[in-house]
Amino acid sequence: MAQRRHGRAKRWGIGLGIAIVLYTVIGFFVLPAIIKSQMLKRLPALTHRHVAIQEVKLNPYALSFTLRGFSVTETNGDEFVSLGELYVNFESISLLKRGFVFKEISVKKPSANIVRLLDGTFNFANLLTNAAPAGASPKASQQLPLVMIDELKVEDGQFAFTDLNRKTPCQNHFGPINVRFTNFTTRPKAGSPYSILVSTDDGNTFAWSGDISIAPLHSAGTFKLAGLQIKRYAAYIEDAVPIQILGGRVDLQTDYHFEIGGEAINLSVSNTVL
């Protein structure tokens, strides 16, 4: 009898060892290769652009996903969007929470290049052909899925906007862009602290900090603007108002409260300093 139990335990041990080896090999090597090949196969048709990926990694024990060197380029070779790294750390506790729980989601060095073309359309217009049919619309009563993220951050982002639909084409560049949310959640009436800092190549800074909730959409905090060079955006102002702007800068700080309730949108500002 004892020998039989020993043989059964040995077989269980061998089976468990094989399962662990298969789980490790599939998680670390097989799945990343499949994910990368499927992304390279499907995304060009969806985006109408060339797609490149440097590396896809999975850690089946930490339940993490890493994507590095992702880029989407226009047919003429110009960059459309790219990111240095996307890291997602999933929490197994999600199975108990009936939602999606993440320890961390971080994006490093994302960039986007948006262009308004000569005909007034944008360079991303062909992506809209992949949108849902006109008759399809989400149900008003449909609730957002439960999502909880301990830390959500964007580091060293870059954004460029070029407007060719003007007498004098202009280009603006924003970066680095840094965003950080802590304890982000879609749980109704639960707030998430956040901070956003955007800089431009000529020394402007835009900063937001405060608290935000998704259901209902509500945010309150402080907005700061420092060193805004008015001349840089003069072309748009001069199109609307028959004046010529020679120079000047704006510094601004204000507290704000924004809320959407039903069909009403409420926005209030206070403690504004110029």
Side-chain angles (χ1 to χ4, degrees), residues 11-27:
R11 288 193 298 272
W12 272 102
I14 293 174
L16 180 61
I18 293 174
I20 292 174
V21 171
L22 288 175
Y23 180 77
T24 302
V25 172
I26 292 174

Side-chain angles (χ1 to χ4, degrees), residues 155-167:
E155 298 178 347
D156 197 20
Q158 306 288 331
F159 174 77
F161 174 69
T162 303
D163 193 346
L164 302 178
N165 185 238
R166 313 181 47 79
K167 292 181 180 178

Side-chain angles (χ1 to χ4, degrees), residues 18-273:
I18 293 174
I20 292 174
V21 171
L22 288 175
Y23 180 77
T24 302
V25 172
I26 292 174
F28 278 104
F29 302 104
V30 179
L31 283 180
I34 293 174
I35 293 172
K36 181 178 179 179
S37 66
Q38 288 298 309
M39 291 179 69
L40 291 174
K41 178 182 178 181
R42 298 176 183 276
L43 288 180
L46 292 174
T47 62
H48 312 289
R49 293 166 173 83
H50 176 69
V51 176
I53 299 173
Q54 178 182 344
E55 182 181 25
V56 173
K57 291 180 62 178
L58 286 177
N59 187 325
Y61 295 103
L63 297 181
S64 65
F65 169 84
T66 305
L67 173 67
R68 293 194 179 102
F70 176 82
S71 64
V72 180
T73 54
E74 303 284 4
T75 54
N76 62 1
D78 292 343
E79 179 186 285
F80 180 56
V81 295
S82 69
L83 58 87
E85 179 182 283
L86 167 65
Y87 175 77
V88 179
N89 191 332
F90 187 72
E91 293 277 15
S92 59
I93 196 174
S94 295
L95 300 175
L96 302 176
K97 294 284 188 178
R98 297 183 180 181
F100 301 96
V101 182
F102 300 88
K103 182 178 181 180
E104 178 185 350
I105 296 180
S106 67
V107 181
K108 295 181 180 179
K109 296 185 176 180
S111 66
N113 183 28
I114 304 301
V115 181
R116 190 184 185 198
L117 304 173
L118 291 171
D119 60 1
T121 62
F122 290 89
N123 62 336
F124 56 80
N126 57 358
L127 294 177
L128 302 180
T129 60
N130 299 318
S137 60
K139 295 180 180 179
S141 59
Q142 186 176 8
Q143 294 184 348
L144 291 172
L146 176 61
V147 177
M148 291 178 284
I149 307 172
D150 288 348
E151 185 175 36
L152 173 62
K153 58 185 178 181
V154 176
E155 298 178 347
D156 197 20
Q158 306 288 331
F159 174 77
F161 174 69
T162 303
D163 193 346
L164 302 178
N165 185 238
R166 313 181 47 79
K167 292 181 180 178
T168 303
C170 62
Q171 182 178 46
N172 290 300
H173 179 269
F174 302 89
I177 301 171
N178 294 288
V179 181
R180 184 171 184 264
F181 288 84
T182 56
N183 300 319
F184 177 85
T185 181
T186 58
R187 188 188 300 277
K189 299 181 180 180
S192 305
Y194 73 92
S195 64
I196 301 174
L197 179 63
V198 179
S199 301
T200 65
D201 50 11
D202 60 354
N204 300 346
T205 60
F206 307 83
W208 297 265
S209 61
D211 188 87
I212 187 171
S213 64
I214 302 300
L217 184 58
H218 164 272
S219 180
T222 300
F223 172 78
K224 297 180 182 179
L225 172 65
L228 176 65
Q229 302 296 325
I230 302 178
K231 182 65 176 179
R232 180 170 183 168
Y233 308 96
Y236 294 97
I237 300 175
E238 291 170 357
D239 281 351
V241 183
I243 60 174
Q244 182 179 11
I245 298 176
L246 302 178
R249 57 172 281 173
V250 173
D251 296 292
L252 169 71
Q253 176 174 327
T254 186
D255 296 331
Y256 73 92
H257 180 277
F258 174 82
E259 183 174 356
I260 297 180
E263 297 181 355
I265 300 177
N266 299 308
L267 173 64
S268 61
V269 297
S270 60
N271 302 321
T272 302
V273 179

